[in-house]
Amino acid sequence: MRRVVIAEDSVLLREGLTRLLTDRGLEVVAGVGDGDALLRTVHDLAAADGLPDVVVSDVRMPPSHTDEGLRACVELRGRYPELGVLVLSQFVEERYASELLAGSTRGVGYLLKDRVAEVREFADAVVRVAEGGTALDPEVVQQLLSRSRKGDVLANLTPREREVLALMAEGRTNAAIARQLVVSDGAVEKHVSNIFLKLGLAQSPEDHRRVLAVLTYINS
């Protein structure tokens, strides 16, 4: 069972998230209302019962309601690289998304709070991040991709390859991308191979080309 810590200053939303995730088979081991409490709680759990699998945190929390939640998550990722982090935001805040994704995208998610209403997809995103995958809101991906299109590094990608890359950034598998675009798995595999080729990502046992491709366009 995946262990979750929730950081959200709204008691009502925190309790709602706890119930939602518990009903989907996850174990919510703690719920806190600010960034400092999140840091203390994860540190205490790591020292006692073991590191949780994933933190689900609001970006804006007390005392200033700016970026305390995000800052806490970035600090936790620096100390515990294996910890999954899924942040929730009311709006698309490109700077925050870029900062969270500046390091490894393994076990990272950034979703708009509206997605919580899509219960099954939200719970699936939490599990995916807990297992080391990626979960990026389509609107976040669209903004990051729009910015990246200004860079020469992606100039050689076709519109379809950019679509595939955007879905890769959302954490979709090749099979899921094929279903979304209504194409064959083989067609998606070909697009992915072309993306790797055009971005100069040679196959290597030390590197994860899928992650590197996403980071390339986010940081371009």
Side-chain angles (χ1 to χ4, degrees):
M1 180 181 294
R2 297 298 177 180
R3 302 168 69 240
V4 185
V5 172
I6 297 174
E8 166 58 57
D9 62 298
S10 167
V11 176
L12 184 62
L13 180 54
R14 188 166 70 239
E15 292 300 320
L17 290 172
T18 299
R19 177 65 180 272
L20 183 157
L21 295 177
T22 300
D23 287 347
R24 301 298 294 186
L26 290 89
E27 180 185 5
V28 177
V29 294
V32 299
D34 61 73
D36 288 340
L38 174 59
L39 292 171
R40 289 195 305 270
T41 298
V42 173
H43 294 331
D44 290 347
L45 286 169
D49 302 326
L51 192 68
D53 296 296
V54 61
V55 167
V56 178
S57 174
D58 191 1
V59 168
R60 300 173 181 242
M61 288 198 292
S64 71
H65 290 279
T66 53
D67 60 359
E68 283 84 357
L70 177 76
R71 295 293 175 195
C73 287
V74 171
E75 182 175 334
L76 288 171
R77 287 281 292 182
R79 181 162 183 176
Y80 308 107
E82 67 276 31
L83 174 66
V85 169
L86 174 61
V87 300
L88 303 175
S89 180
Q90 193 68 41
F91 309 102
V92 177
E93 300 179 88
E94 185 178 314
R95 178 172 64 87
Y96 294 156
S98 298
E99 186 167 355
L100 183 67
L101 296 166
S104 170
T105 59
R106 185 184 184 281
V108 171
Y110 187 111
L111 296 178
L112 295 182
K113 285 188 174 180
D114 289 347
R115 304 296 173 190
V116 176
E118 300 169 5
V119 175
R120 181 175 179 178
E121 291 187 14
F122 174 69
D124 288 346
V126 174
V127 172
R128 187 160 67 245
V129 171
E131 294 176 347
T134 305
L136 296 183
D137 194 283
E139 291 189 34
V140 174
V141 172
Q142 183 177 5
Q143 286 204 16
L144 294 175
L145 188 55
S146 295
R147 182 189 68 176
S148 69
R149 284 173 179 165
K150 299 175 183 177
D152 291 336
V153 68
L154 300 181
N156 293 328
L157 296 186
T158 67
R160 177 61 91 182
E161 287 164 357
R162 287 172 178 159
E163 281 187 279
V164 171
L165 185 54
L167 292 169
M168 287 167 59
E170 291 177 25
R172 308 289 185 93
T173 64
N174 283 2
I177 293 172
R179 289 193 298 271
Q180 177 76 19
L181 299 180
V182 194
V183 297
S184 68
D185 290 357
V188 173
E189 290 175 6
K190 184 176 180 180
H191 288 313
V192 172
S193 295
N194 286 339
I195 290 169
F196 293 156
L197 180 63
K198 292 178 179 180
L199 296 183
L201 300 174
Q203 190 166 4
S204 167
E206 288 81 23
D207 297 321
H208 194 308
R209 290 192 295 173
R210 204 176 187 89
V211 172
L212 292 176
V214 172
L215 286 175
T216 296
Y217 86 75
I218 288 175
N219 295 320
S220 64

